[in-house]
Amino acid sequence: MNELIPRSLSYEISKRKDKFPILAVTGPRQSGKTTLLKSLFPDYTYVSLENPDNRSFAEDDPNGFLQLYAEHVILDEVQRETVGQDTETIFL
């Protein structure tokens, strides 16, 4: 039985989702961030940059990537993506 642990963050995310175009949820690995977001937004597209094909697309064509995933998307592992030779991280 995989029952979700109730999170007070659920209320805060739901309250802010219509006020801000982008919300970032950060925290330690394996703490339930992705599970929480998938449960709150079951109709959103889920894209993980841990997947080499998704990461390559984001690196090689960032404009095309953001155009394809312009709205209603959960982007996971975005800390893995860097721009060109810079060491800057993209947070979406």
Side-chain angles (χ1 to χ4, degrees):
M1 173 192 252
N2 291 335
E3 194 171 320
L4 289 179
I5 298 170
R7 308 272 182 172
S8 58
L9 186 59
S10 298
Y11 171 74
E12 297 300 327
I13 291 170
S14 296
K15 184 169 78 171
R16 288 171 171 77
K17 73 177 178 67
D18 294 325
K19 294 181 182 179
F20 300 99
I22 297 170
L23 296 174
V25 177
T26 63
R29 292 188 59 77
Q30 301 296 310
S31 62
K33 300 176 299 294
T34 301
T35 301
L36 172 66
L37 292 173
K38 284 180 167 184
S39 71
L40 290 174
F41 305 105
D43 297 333
Y44 279 35
T45 301
Y46 172 78
V47 180
S48 174
L49 292 180
E50 195 168 52
N51 176 302
D53 293 333
N54 293 337
R55 190 170 55 248
S56 290
F57 181 24
E59 289 173 345
D60 298 343
D61 185 6
N63 289 329
F65 181 85
L66 292 175
Q67 212 168 34
L68 179 62
Y69 301 114
E71 51 185 44
H72 299 142
V73 63
I74 298 168
L75 296 174
D76 204 356
E77 302 295 341
V78 295
Q79 77 279 2
R80 295 179 175 277
E81 177 52 36
T82 59
V83 180
Q85 300 301 319
D86 297 339
T87 57
E88 238 177 87
T89 303
I90 299 174
F91 293 97
L92 306 172

